[in-house]
Amino acid sequence: MDSMNTLRIQSLFSGSHVGQTLTLQGWVRTFRANRFIAINDGSTLNNLQCVVDFEQTDENLLKRITTGAAVQIEGTLVESRGKGQQYEVQVSHIEILGDSDPDQYPIQPKKHSFEFLRENAHLRVRTSTFSAVMRVRSALSFAVHEYFRKEGFYHVHTPIITGSDAEGAGEMFRVSTLDPKKAPLTDAGEADFTQDFFGKETNLTVSGQLEAETYAMGLGKVYTFGPTFRAENSNTTRHLAEFWMIEPEVAFCNLDQNMDLAEDFIKYVLRYVLDHCQDDLVFLDQRLANEEKTKPQIERRPMGLLEQMHFIVDNQFVRLSYTEAIDILRNSKPNKKKKFKFPVDQWGVDLQSEHERYLVEKHFSSPVILFDYPANIKAFYMRLNEDGKTVRAMDVLFPGIGEMVGGAQREERLDILQKRMDEMDIDEKELDWYLDLRRFGTAPHAGFGLGFERLVQFATGMSNIRDVIPYPRTPQNASF
Ligand code: 4AD
Ligand code: MG
């Protein structure tokens, strides 16, 4: 539906409206020679050139056609004789819907730094780069739902406020209505959360997994796709304090099948944007190439945007155990030459993004899924292997990013799960409901979590994760 009979600019590039009189609404990107207005309405990367007859137009009106102004234009769509566009609109009437003072409007028709645009995050979507990123983001989100629907999964809305710490990592944001100045105290002098809103300590969720597991054990195949919060003090280009996570969970599923699902899912959603977001991807590919040219050789990325998309979509993912990976890393050139910031010296160390990227970009030149990690660097719910020291974990590793997905086959055996929770000091009482799944009709099951912003980062070639979410939340920053 085109609201109020106005057309979206994207629909005009098919050519079928040539000769018609149209009404269009959008924002002025540029106005040059008192004649050519480039307007954009967000429907496409491409601006539409609208040509005004300045001799027939009131001078005061012409002055109000400024970058950022909202306008309504009536005119006729014609084939353009000028270079740079196929069609243009010959304006018969223009109305300024909202003025934009050119001396005040922060988004000028020139290159702005991403740092500057982050400070103006409420306006940055009016730039070509951010509108392209947000269209790709939206398409990816749609593809996620389409994939799971087609595969027979049910979408479950898991809670955002929770009383349990799914990852057992303790990096949670507290949710409380207690007055910080006069909170009731326990005898030990600590805040008394029994008097808080929920009568207990509650936090924002770090993962919907545990609740998704309960639904998988009734609906069979489910996924949750919601906001996730981590109070980790990581000021990196790949971490947000608030991000969106996609978490499928499948009953009667083992780790191999879980890896199949992750690979198939990732390829599907990336192929979807390759097929549906061509203009935006070509633009972002070029943007990235220009950015790379400004960097010293050693800091440049291994691949361009379209190249890295095809690297994932067209390659079979290598599957490799943690133990094999450690052998490769230990004997690798950068390790021997002490080029890694974190040297790999022994079995059991956690892998850093530099190691993950080495495996993907240098050693295999292929996406990699690592599995069977040491139990003590992974969460409590992962299924213990027969060796007693590794668990059925899996991480999917991408070029440029490192970890894209973390998942596992879950521990379905009650006694072993209880033992691990005990070892890791996890309160069984809090998670009694989770243990019930193992008491009543337990079954092998598996799932994973994919950080949506990391995927958007990958699919748009943006260097900083803060530039792929509308309003990034990071340490010391929650503006807007
Ligand atoms: O590996 P993680 O911590 O796994 C879980 O939370 C599991 N409960 C998922 C599951 O099995 N259902 O996080 C999953 C993914 C990571 O691989 C990464 O892509 C992303 O979430 N992620 C973040 N993305 C942005 N900012 C952060 N601070 C992130 N932390 C994790
Ligand atoms: Mg992880």
mmCIF file of all heavy atoms in Angstrom, residues 55-100:
data_model
loop_
_atom_site.group_PDB
_atom_site.id
_atom_site.type_symbol
_atom_site.label_atom_id
_atom_site.label_comp_id
_atom_site.label_asym_id
_atom_site.label_seq_id
_atom_site.Cartn_x
_atom_site.Cartn_y
_atom_site.Cartn_z
ATOM 1 N N GLU A 55 12.796 29.676 -12.411
ATOM 2 C CA GLU A 55 12.188 30.932 -12.858
ATOM 3 C C GLU A 55 10.710 31.006 -12.490
ATOM 4 O O GLU A 55 10.160 32.080 -12.323
ATOM 5 C CB GLU A 55 12.364 31.094 -14.380
ATOM 6 C CG GLU A 55 13.799 31.495 -14.693
ATOM 7 C CD GLU A 55 14.143 31.415 -16.163
ATOM 8 O OE1 GLU A 55 13.314 30.891 -16.932
ATOM 9 O OE2 GLU A 55 15.237 31.859 -16.522
ATOM 10 N N GLN A 56 10.113 29.841 -12.369
ATOM 11 C CA GLN A 56 8.680 29.791 -12.045
ATOM 12 C C GLN A 56 8.444 29.588 -10.541
ATOM 13 O O GLN A 56 7.304 29.455 -10.115
ATOM 14 C CB GLN A 56 8.026 28.606 -12.777
ATOM 15 C CG GLN A 56 8.134 28.654 -14.285
ATOM 16 C CD GLN A 56 7.301 29.786 -14.860
ATOM 17 O OE1 GLN A 56 6.181 30.022 -14.437
ATOM 18 N NE2 GLN A 56 7.869 30.504 -15.825
ATOM 19 N N THR A 57 9.520 29.515 -9.769
ATOM 20 C CA THR A 57 9.351 29.184 -8.354
ATOM 21 C C THR A 57 9.709 30.382 -7.477
ATOM 22 O O THR A 57 10.693 31.076 -7.748
ATOM 23 C CB THR A 57 10.250 27.979 -7.983
ATOM 24 O OG1 THR A 57 10.056 26.961 -8.943
ATOM 25 C CG2 THR A 57 9.928 27.440 -6.604
ATOM 26 N N ASP A 58 8.905 30.573 -6.479
ATOM 27 C CA ASP A 58 9.103 31.688 -5.558
ATOM 28 C C ASP A 58 10.503 31.605 -4.911
ATOM 29 O O ASP A 58 10.920 30.553 -4.446
ATOM 30 C CB ASP A 58 8.006 31.625 -4.485
ATOM 31 C CG ASP A 58 8.178 32.710 -3.454
ATOM 32 O OD1 ASP A 58 8.194 33.890 -3.837
ATOM 33 O OD2 ASP A 58 8.337 32.359 -2.263
ATOM 34 N N GLU A 59 11.176 32.720 -4.857
ATOM 35 C CA GLU A 59 12.547 32.761 -4.363
ATOM 36 C C GLU A 59 12.656 32.296 -2.907
ATOM 37 O O GLU A 59 13.583 31.603 -2.522
ATOM 38 C CB GLU A 59 13.050 34.201 -4.476
ATOM 39 C CG GLU A 59 14.559 34.311 -4.605
ATOM 40 C CD GLU A 59 14.937 35.761 -4.860
ATOM 41 O OE1 GLU A 59 14.388 36.354 -5.816
ATOM 42 O OE2 GLU A 59 15.729 36.294 -4.091
ATOM 43 N N ASN A 60 11.670 32.710 -2.097
ATOM 44 C CA ASN A 60 11.682 32.308 -0.683
ATOM 45 C C ASN A 60 11.505 30.801 -0.522
ATOM 46 O O ASN A 60 12.057 30.187 0.392
ATOM 47 C CB ASN A 60 10.583 33.033 0.085
ATOM 48 C CG ASN A 60 10.953 34.478 0.292
ATOM 49 O OD1 ASN A 60 12.122 34.788 0.512
ATOM 50 N ND2 ASN A 60 9.968 35.360 0.162
ATOM 51 N N LEU A 61 10.742 30.246 -1.427
ATOM 52 C CA LEU A 61 10.544 28.798 -1.387
ATOM 53 C C LEU A 61 11.851 28.092 -1.758
ATOM 54 O O LEU A 61 12.266 27.140 -1.096
ATOM 55 C CB LEU A 61 9.422 28.406 -2.359
ATOM 56 C CG LEU A 61 9.005 26.935 -2.353
ATOM 57 C CD1 LEU A 61 8.421 26.548 -1.006
ATOM 58 C CD2 LEU A 61 7.979 26.662 -3.447
ATOM 59 N N LEU A 62 12.514 28.591 -2.766
ATOM 60 C CA LEU A 62 13.793 27.983 -3.190
ATOM 61 C C LEU A 62 14.799 27.966 -2.041
ATOM 62 O O LEU A 62 15.525 27.007 -1.850
ATOM 63 C CB LEU A 62 14.390 28.760 -4.376
ATOM 64 C CG LEU A 62 13.717 28.570 -5.728
ATOM 65 C CD1 LEU A 62 14.341 29.493 -6.770
ATOM 66 C CD2 LEU A 62 13.801 27.115 -6.192
ATOM 67 N N LYS A 63 14.793 29.057 -1.254
ATOM 68 C CA LYS A 63 15.735 29.151 -0.134
ATOM 69 C C LYS A 63 15.477 28.101 0.929
ATOM 70 O O LYS A 63 16.365 27.759 1.712
ATOM 71 C CB LYS A 63 15.632 30.530 0.519
ATOM 72 C CG LYS A 63 16.425 31.584 -0.223
ATOM 73 C CD LYS A 63 16.569 32.822 0.642
ATOM 74 C CE LYS A 63 16.957 34.005 -0.224
ATOM 75 N NZ LYS A 63 16.189 35.216 0.065
ATOM 76 N N ARG A 64 14.244 27.640 0.973
ATOM 77 C CA ARG A 64 13.894 26.657 2.019
ATOM 78 C C ARG A 64 14.162 25.216 1.582
ATOM 79 O O ARG A 64 13.967 24.286 2.357
ATOM 80 C CB ARG A 64 12.423 26.832 2.412
ATOM 81 C CG ARG A 64 12.166 28.169 3.108
ATOM 82 C CD ARG A 64 10.689 28.417 3.292
ATOM 83 N NE ARG A 64 10.052 27.422 4.158
ATOM 84 C CZ ARG A 64 8.739 27.177 4.166
ATOM 85 N NH1 ARG A 64 7.932 27.840 3.343
ATOM 86 N NH2 ARG A 64 8.244 26.276 4.984
ATOM 87 N N ILE A 65 14.612 25.047 0.340
ATOM 88 C CA ILE A 65 14.991 23.691 -0.104
ATOM 89 C C ILE A 65 16.438 23.462 0.332
ATOM 90 O O ILE A 65 17.384 23.803 -0.365
ATOM 91 C CB ILE A 65 14.844 23.546 -1.629
ATOM 92 C CG1 ILE A 65 13.425 23.935 -2.071
ATOM 93 C CG2 ILE A 65 15.147 22.103 -2.053
ATOM 94 C CD1 ILE A 65 13.233 23.955 -3.577
ATOM 95 N N THR A 66 16.585 22.938 1.539
ATOM 96 C CA THR A 66 17.927 22.772 2.107
ATOM 97 C C THR A 66 18.126 21.322 2.518
ATOM 98 O O THR A 66 17.148 20.592 2.752
ATOM 99 C CB THR A 66 18.083 23.659 3.363
ATOM 100 O OG1 THR A 66 17.041 23.282 4.281
ATOM 101 C CG2 THR A 66 17.982 25.130 3.034
ATOM 102 N N THR A 67 19.372 20.940 2.650
ATOM 103 C CA THR A 67 19.677 19.572 3.066
ATOM 104 C C THR A 67 18.966 19.244 4.379
ATOM 105 O O THR A 67 19.065 19.999 5.346
ATOM 106 C CB THR A 67 21.200 19.395 3.243
ATOM 107 O OG1 THR A 67 21.812 19.629 1.980
ATOM 108 C CG2 THR A 67 21.539 17.994 3.716
ATOM 109 N N GLY A 68 18.249 18.143 4.388
ATOM 110 C CA GLY A 68 17.556 17.717 5.608
ATOM 111 C C GLY A 68 16.089 18.089 5.650
ATOM 112 O O GLY A 68 15.325 17.519 6.429
ATOM 113 N N ALA A 69 15.669 19.065 4.823
ATOM 114 C CA ALA A 69 14.264 19.486 4.851
ATOM 115 C C ALA A 69 13.352 18.367 4.337
ATOM 116 O O ALA A 69 13.731 17.592 3.460
ATOM 117 C CB ALA A 69 14.077 20.733 3.994
ATOM 118 N N ALA A 70 12.156 18.301 4.917
ATOM 119 C CA ALA A 70 11.163 17.341 4.430
ATOM 120 C C ALA A 70 10.299 18.037 3.386
ATOM 121 O O ALA A 70 9.824 19.154 3.621
ATOM 122 C CB ALA A 70 10.304 16.832 5.580
ATOM 123 N N VAL A 71 10.108 17.389 2.256
ATOM 124 C CA VAL A 71 9.371 18.041 1.173
ATOM 125 C C VAL A 71 8.314 17.116 0.582
ATOM 126 O O VAL A 71 8.424 15.891 0.666
ATOM 127 C CB VAL A 71 10.318 18.481 0.020
ATOM 128 C CG1 VAL A 71 11.270 19.573 0.492
ATOM 129 C CG2 VAL A 71 11.096 17.305 -0.549
ATOM 130 N N GLN A 72 7.313 17.739 -0.006
ATOM 131 C CA GLN A 72 6.361 16.990 -0.827
ATOM 132 C C GLN A 72 6.434 17.561 -2.236
ATOM 133 O O GLN A 72 6.386 18.777 -2.418
ATOM 134 C CB GLN A 72 4.954 17.121 -0.269
ATOM 135 C CG GLN A 72 3.916 16.468 -1.181
ATOM 136 C CD GLN A 72 2.600 16.246 -0.456
ATOM 137 O OE1 GLN A 72 2.582 15.669 0.624
ATOM 138 N NE2 GLN A 72 1.517 16.689 -1.051
ATOM 139 N N ILE A 73 6.562 16.672 -3.172
ATOM 140 C CA ILE A 73 6.773 17.105 -4.543
ATOM 141 C C ILE A 73 5.703 16.508 -5.444
ATOM 142 O O ILE A 73 5.395 15.315 -5.347
ATOM 143 C CB ILE A 73 8.187 16.670 -5.013
ATOM 144 C CG1 ILE A 73 9.223 17.642 -4.427
ATOM 145 C CG2 ILE A 73 8.287 16.614 -6.538
ATOM 146 C CD1 ILE A 73 10.638 17.255 -4.662
ATOM 147 N N GLU A 74 5.159 17.364 -6.297
ATOM 148 C CA GLU A 74 4.306 16.837 -7.358
ATOM 149 C C GLU A 74 4.999 17.110 -8.676
ATOM 150 O O GLU A 74 5.623 18.152 -8.855
ATOM 151 C CB GLU A 74 2.941 17.520 -7.353
ATOM 152 C CG GLU A 74 1.995 16.913 -6.338
ATOM 153 C CD GLU A 74 0.896 17.895 -5.941
ATOM 154 O OE1 GLU A 74 0.386 18.590 -6.842
ATOM 155 O OE2 GLU A 74 0.593 17.958 -4.734
ATOM 156 N N GLY A 75 4.922 16.169 -9.583
ATOM 157 C CA GLY A 75 5.596 16.363 -10.860
ATOM 158 C C GLY A 75 5.425 15.163 -11.757
ATOM 159 O O GLY A 75 4.695 14.217 -11.425
ATOM 160 N N THR A 76 6.120 15.201 -12.864
ATOM 161 C CA THR A 76 6.002 14.144 -13.861
ATOM 162 C C THR A 76 7.318 13.373 -13.948
ATOM 163 O O THR A 76 8.385 13.979 -14.021
ATOM 164 C CB THR A 76 5.696 14.758 -15.248
ATOM 165 O OG1 THR A 76 4.644 15.702 -15.094
ATOM 166 C CG2 THR A 76 5.285 13.683 -16.243
ATOM 167 N N LEU A 77 7.209 12.061 -13.940
ATOM 168 C CA LEU A 77 8.410 11.239 -14.057
ATOM 169 C C LEU A 77 8.790 11.139 -15.533
ATOM 170 O O LEU A 77 7.959 10.775 -16.366
ATOM 171 C CB LEU A 77 8.165 9.835 -13.484
ATOM 172 C CG LEU A 77 9.413 8.965 -13.359
ATOM 173 C CD1 LEU A 77 10.302 9.440 -12.210
ATOM 174 C CD2 LEU A 77 9.051 7.498 -13.151
ATOM 175 N N VAL A 78 10.046 11.481 -15.831
ATOM 176 C CA VAL A 78 10.515 11.409 -17.221
ATOM 177 C C VAL A 78 11.867 10.709 -17.258
ATOM 178 O O VAL A 78 12.538 10.571 -16.239
ATOM 179 C CB VAL A 78 10.669 12.837 -17.842
ATOM 180 C CG1 VAL A 78 9.338 13.562 -17.889
ATOM 181 C CG2 VAL A 78 11.700 13.649 -17.070
ATOM 182 N N GLU A 79 12.243 10.281 -18.449
ATOM 183 C CA GLU A 79 13.594 9.747 -18.607
ATOM 184 C C GLU A 79 14.554 10.915 -18.510
ATOM 185 O O GLU A 79 14.307 11.979 -19.073
ATOM 186 C CB GLU A 79 13.738 9.062 -19.978
ATOM 187 C CG GLU A 79 12.642 8.043 -20.223
ATOM 188 C CD GLU A 79 13.168 6.685 -20.659
ATOM 189 O OE1 GLU A 79 14.397 6.524 -20.763
ATOM 190 O OE2 GLU A 79 12.329 5.790 -20.877
ATOM 191 N N SER A 80 15.636 10.713 -17.801
ATOM 192 C CA SER A 80 16.556 11.826 -17.569
ATOM 193 C C SER A 80 17.509 11.980 -18.736
ATOM 194 O O SER A 80 17.995 11.003 -19.287
ATOM 195 C CB SER A 80 17.341 11.586 -16.285
ATOM 196 O OG SER A 80 18.293 12.591 -16.106
ATOM 197 N N ARG A 81 17.762 13.218 -19.108
ATOM 198 C CA ARG A 81 18.758 13.440 -20.145
ATOM 199 C C ARG A 81 20.137 13.637 -19.532
ATOM 200 O O ARG A 81 21.136 13.549 -20.190
ATOM 201 C CB ARG A 81 18.362 14.650 -21.012
ATOM 202 C CG ARG A 81 17.453 14.261 -22.173
ATOM 203 C CD ARG A 81 16.806 15.478 -22.786
ATOM 204 N NE ARG A 81 15.779 16.034 -21.891
ATOM 205 C CZ ARG A 81 15.475 17.318 -21.793
ATOM 206 N NH1 ARG A 81 16.119 18.205 -22.513
ATOM 207 N NH2 ARG A 81 14.532 17.718 -20.967
ATOM 208 N N GLY A 82 20.134 13.931 -18.235
ATOM 209 C CA GLY A 82 21.418 14.159 -17.559
ATOM 210 C C GLY A 82 22.134 12.855 -17.262
ATOM 211 O O GLY A 82 21.568 11.769 -17.377
ATOM 212 N N LYS A 83 23.394 12.990 -16.867
ATOM 213 C CA LYS A 83 24.168 11.801 -16.501
ATOM 214 C C LYS A 83 23.864 11.415 -15.060
ATOM 215 O O LYS A 83 23.482 12.239 -14.251
ATOM 216 C CB LYS A 83 25.666 12.091 -16.632
ATOM 217 C CG LYS A 83 26.196 11.813 -18.036
ATOM 218 C CD LYS A 83 27.722 11.762 -18.026
ATOM 219 C CE LYS A 83 28.279 13.121 -17.690
ATOM 220 N NZ LYS A 83 29.616 13.417 -18.010
ATOM 221 N N GLY A 84 24.059 10.176 -14.716
ATOM 222 C CA GLY A 84 23.997 9.779 -13.309
ATOM 223 C C GLY A 84 22.660 9.242 -12.859
ATOM 224 O O GLY A 84 22.560 8.668 -11.784
ATOM 225 N N GLN A 85 21.625 9.443 -13.638
ATOM 226 C CA GLN A 85 20.342 8.841 -13.261
ATOM 227 C C GLN A 85 19.520 8.563 -14.509
ATOM 228 O O GLN A 85 19.646 9.257 -15.520
ATOM 229 C CB GLN A 85 19.550 9.740 -12.295
ATOM 230 C CG GLN A 85 19.064 11.065 -12.867
ATOM 231 C CD GLN A 85 20.162 12.107 -12.880
ATOM 232 O OE1 GLN A 85 20.918 12.208 -11.932
ATOM 233 N NE2 GLN A 85 20.265 12.854 -13.961
ATOM 234 N N GLN A 86 18.702 7.544 -14.384
ATOM 235 C CA GLN A 86 17.901 7.148 -15.532
ATOM 236 C C GLN A 86 16.605 7.956 -15.622
ATOM 237 O O GLN A 86 16.153 8.305 -16.689
ATOM 238 C CB GLN A 86 17.591 5.656 -15.428
ATOM 239 C CG GLN A 86 17.219 5.051 -16.764
ATOM 240 C CD GLN A 86 17.005 3.544 -16.643
ATOM 241 O OE1 GLN A 86 17.243 2.943 -15.592
ATOM 242 N NE2 GLN A 86 16.556 2.926 -17.719
ATOM 243 N N TYR A 87 16.041 8.219 -14.418
ATOM 244 C CA TYR A 87 14.761 8.946 -14.387
ATOM 245 C C TYR A 87 14.887 10.176 -13.520
ATOM 246 O O TYR A 87 15.739 10.254 -12.638
ATOM 247 C CB TYR A 87 13.658 8.044 -13.806
ATOM 248 C CG TYR A 87 13.508 6.744 -14.533
ATOM 249 C CD1 TYR A 87 13.964 5.557 -13.975
ATOM 250 C CD2 TYR A 87 12.923 6.711 -15.804
ATOM 251 C CE1 TYR A 87 13.848 4.353 -14.656
ATOM 252 C CE2 TYR A 87 12.804 5.517 -16.490
ATOM 253 C CZ TYR A 87 13.266 4.340 -15.915
ATOM 254 O OH TYR A 87 13.156 3.167 -16.589
ATOM 255 N N GLU A 88 14.031 11.123 -13.767
ATOM 256 C CA GLU A 88 13.955 12.277 -12.880
ATOM 257 C C GLU A 88 12.515 12.783 -12.874
ATOM 258 O O GLU A 88 11.692 12.387 -13.701
ATOM 259 C CB GLU A 88 14.926 13.374 -13.319
ATOM 260 C CG GLU A 88 14.628 13.944 -14.700
ATOM 261 C CD GLU A 88 15.741 14.869 -15.206
ATOM 262 O OE1 GLU A 88 16.880 14.752 -14.746
ATOM 263 O OE2 GLU A 88 15.434 15.689 -16.092
ATOM 264 N N VAL A 89 12.239 13.669 -11.933
ATOM 265 C CA VAL A 89 10.891 14.225 -11.847
ATOM 266 C C VAL A 89 10.944 15.704 -12.224
ATOM 267 O O VAL A 89 11.779 16.450 -11.708
ATOM 268 C CB VAL A 89 10.324 14.066 -10.422
ATOM 269 C CG1 VAL A 89 9.034 14.859 -10.255
ATOM 270 C CG2 VAL A 89 10.080 12.593 -10.120
ATOM 271 N N GLN A 90 10.086 16.080 -13.151
ATOM 272 C CA GLN A 90 9.939 17.503 -13.446
ATOM 273 C C GLN A 90 8.895 18.064 -12.497
ATOM 274 O O GLN A 90 7.728 17.694 -12.557
ATOM 275 C CB GLN A 90 9.522 17.696 -14.899
ATOM 276 C CG GLN A 90 10.743 17.728 -15.798
ATOM 277 C CD GLN A 90 10.400 17.594 -17.261
ATOM 278 O OE1 GLN A 90 9.226 17.410 -17.612
ATOM 279 N NE2 GLN A 90 11.412 17.656 -18.101
ATOM 280 N N VAL A 91 9.349 18.935 -11.618
ATOM 281 C CA VAL A 91 8.512 19.370 -10.511
ATOM 282 C C VAL A 91 7.486 20.401 -10.978
ATOM 283 O O VAL A 91 7.838 21.385 -11.617
ATOM 284 C CB VAL A 91 9.396 19.982 -9.402
ATOM 285 C CG1 VAL A 91 8.545 20.472 -8.242
ATOM 286 C CG2 VAL A 91 10.431 18.963 -8.923
ATOM 287 N N SER A 92 6.234 20.143 -10.654
ATOM 288 C CA SER A 92 5.218 21.153 -10.942
ATOM 289 C C SER A 92 4.830 21.901 -9.665
ATOM 290 O O SER A 92 4.408 23.051 -9.704
ATOM 291 C CB SER A 92 3.987 20.505 -11.582
ATOM 292 O OG SER A 92 3.523 19.468 -10.757
ATOM 293 N N HIS A 93 4.992 21.229 -8.548
ATOM 294 C CA HIS A 93 4.642 21.877 -7.283
ATOM 295 C C HIS A 93 5.510 21.300 -6.171
ATOM 296 O O HIS A 93 5.731 20.102 -6.113
ATOM 297 C CB HIS A 93 3.162 21.620 -6.961
ATOM 298 C CG HIS A 93 2.711 22.324 -5.719
ATOM 299 N ND1 HIS A 93 2.483 23.684 -5.671
ATOM 300 C CD2 HIS A 93 2.467 21.845 -4.471
ATOM 301 C CE1 HIS A 93 2.116 24.012 -4.430
ATOM 302 N NE2 HIS A 93 2.099 22.917 -3.700
ATOM 303 N N ILE A 94 6.016 22.198 -5.336
ATOM 304 C CA ILE A 94 6.801 21.705 -4.202
ATOM 305 C C ILE A 94 6.326 22.370 -2.929
ATOM 306 O O ILE A 94 6.046 23.576 -2.901
ATOM 307 C CB ILE A 94 8.319 21.917 -4.422
ATOM 308 C CG1 ILE A 94 9.111 21.454 -3.195
ATOM 309 C CG2 ILE A 94 8.672 23.366 -4.749
ATOM 310 C CD1 ILE A 94 10.565 21.184 -3.482
ATOM 311 N N GLU A 95 6.210 21.573 -1.907
ATOM 312 C CA GLU A 95 5.767 22.090 -0.612
ATOM 313 C C GLU A 95 6.805 21.686 0.429
ATOM 314 O O GLU A 95 7.238 20.524 0.444
ATOM 315 C CB GLU A 95 4.418 21.456 -0.276
ATOM 316 C CG GLU A 95 3.722 22.097 0.891
ATOM 317 C CD GLU A 95 2.388 21.391 1.193
ATOM 318 O OE1 GLU A 95 1.758 20.878 0.248
ATOM 319 O OE2 GLU A 95 2.028 21.345 2.374
ATOM 320 N N ILE A 96 7.219 22.639 1.265
ATOM 321 C CA ILE A 96 8.159 22.307 2.345
ATOM 322 C C ILE A 96 7.321 21.822 3.533
ATOM 323 O O ILE A 96 6.535 22.587 4.092
ATOM 324 C CB ILE A 96 8.992 23.536 2.776
ATOM 325 C CG1 ILE A 96 9.619 24.243 1.567
ATOM 326 C CG2 ILE A 96 10.046 23.134 3.808
ATOM 327 C CD1 ILE A 96 10.703 23.503 0.863
ATOM 328 N N LEU A 97 7.485 20.584 3.913
ATOM 329 C CA LEU A 97 6.726 20.050 5.050
ATOM 330 C C LEU A 97 7.434 20.372 6.364
ATOM 331 O O LEU A 97 6.796 20.596 7.385
ATOM 332 C CB LEU A 97 6.565 18.536 4.920
ATOM 333 C CG LEU A 97 5.868 18.042 3.658
ATOM 334 C CD1 LEU A 97 5.849 16.522 3.615
ATOM 335 C CD2 LEU A 97 4.439 18.578 3.591
ATOM 336 N N GLY A 98 8.747 20.363 6.310
ATOM 337 C CA GLY A 98 9.521 20.671 7.514
ATOM 338 C C GLY A 98 10.848 21.282 7.127
ATOM 339 O O GLY A 98 11.626 20.664 6.410
ATOM 340 N N ASP A 99 11.091 22.502 7.613
ATOM 341 C CA ASP A 99 12.350 23.168 7.272
ATOM 342 C C ASP A 99 13.511 22.541 8.015
ATOM 343 O O ASP A 99 13.335 21.896 9.049
ATOM 344 C CB ASP A 99 12.268 24.659 7.655
ATOM 345 C CG ASP A 99 11.330 25.420 6.741
ATOM 346 O OD1 ASP A 99 11.739 25.693 5.606
ATOM 347 O OD2 ASP A 99 10.170 25.691 7.162
ATOM 348 N N SER A 100 14.712 22.759 7.492
ATOM 349 C CA SER A 100 15.922 22.307 8.166
ATOM 350 C C SER A 100 16.977 23.390 7.979
ATOM 351 O O SER A 100 17.425 23.635 6.865
ATOM 352 C CB SER A 100 16.374 20.978 7.550
ATOM 353 O OG SER A 100 17.611 20.595 8.087
#
